[in-house]
Amino acid sequence: MLRLLLFLRQHARTLKWTFWGIIAAVVVFDCFAPRHHPHFWGDYIRGFWSLFAFLGCVLMIVLFKGIYHVWLMKEHNTYE
């Protein structure tokens, strides 16, 4: 397990670009996926749900990092 983590740390840039490629592939796939009986206005827009999910994930990351820094992060001398 340690070897895997060290390998991923050494190849972090490649891993980041691989994830961006996967996200782009999902958006492209969503643009060409067939639509059957759209029920919501977002169903008419190509790529709406994949972009909605991506932006939702980014928003949650930013929100929860803010919550962490405000509520959970303590000073170094808190318990002394």
Side-chain angles (χ1 to χ4, degrees), residues 34-58:
R35 306 278 189 237
H36 300 291
H37 308 292
H39 299 286
F40 180 68
W41 63 268
D43 293 337
Y44 294 103
I45 302 171
R46 298 279 181 181
F48 174 78
W49 291 111
S50 59
L51 291 174
F52 180 80
F54 176 72
L55 292 176
C57 289
V58 169

Side-chain angles (χ1 to χ4, degrees), residues 4-5 9 12 17-19 21 24-25 27-28 30 33 37-38 40 42 45-46 51-52 54 61 64 66-67 71 78:
L4 174 65
L5 292 174
R9 179 172 280 216
W17 283 107
T18 302
F19 285 139
V27 171
V28 169
D30 191 32
H37 308 292
F40 180 68
I45 302 171
R46 298 279 181 181
L51 291 174
F52 180 80
F54 176 72
I61 290 169
F64 291 127
I67 289 172
W71 287 341
T78 301

